[in-house]
Amino acid sequence: MLDLTCPACGNPLFKLKNSEIYCPSCEKKVIIEKQGQPTEKKQKLAQAGKDKNVSDLGLVLNQKLNDLKNRLATETDLSTIYKILKTIKLGITILNEIKQNQ
Ligand SMILES: [Zn+2]
């Protein structure tokens, strides 16, 4: 048992064999920041936010790429076509990065 308490429930925290900090009450891992303060809640929120944001971004990008594709089909101005193509390329690059991180 550690002399730290869980920031979410206030129960004592335990250190696992793999040196991870664990709250048996919340049944969750707790990340300890440099200053020694447990930040389970922050970490959890950050993780949840990250996952959600990433999948949302993927959805938005897919939608945008579809819009751009439709726009490209009817666009005749060369500089606009160029901009659309650059944007599509960037969008695909980001989508691939999201896929790789999942
Ligand atoms: Zn807890």
Side-chain angles (χ1 to χ4, degrees), residues 38-53:
T39 56
E40 185 206 43
K41 207 171 180 182
K42 216 195 278 176
Q43 182 70 17
K44 196 181 132 199
L45 285 174
Q47 188 59 37
K50 194 185 155 205
D51 291 347
K52 193 175 183 297
N53 286 341

Side-chain angles (χ1 to χ4, degrees), residues 1-14 21-28 30 37-41:
M1 199 168 91
L2 299 168
D3 60 346
L4 295 165
T5 54
C6 173
C9 67
N11 279 306
L13 295 173
F14 291 82
I21 313 293
Y22 183 77
C23 173
S25 180
C26 299
E27 297 183 333
K28 280 179 191 117
V30 179
Q37 288 300 311
T39 56
E40 185 206 43
K41 207 171 180 182

Side-chain angles (χ1 to χ4, degrees), residues 54 90-102:
V54 166
L90 184 63
I92 290 170
T93 305
I94 296 169
L95 271 178
N96 285 332
E97 277 173 20
I98 291 172
K99 277 179 201 158
Q100 279 164 18
N101 287 329
Q102 274 172 350

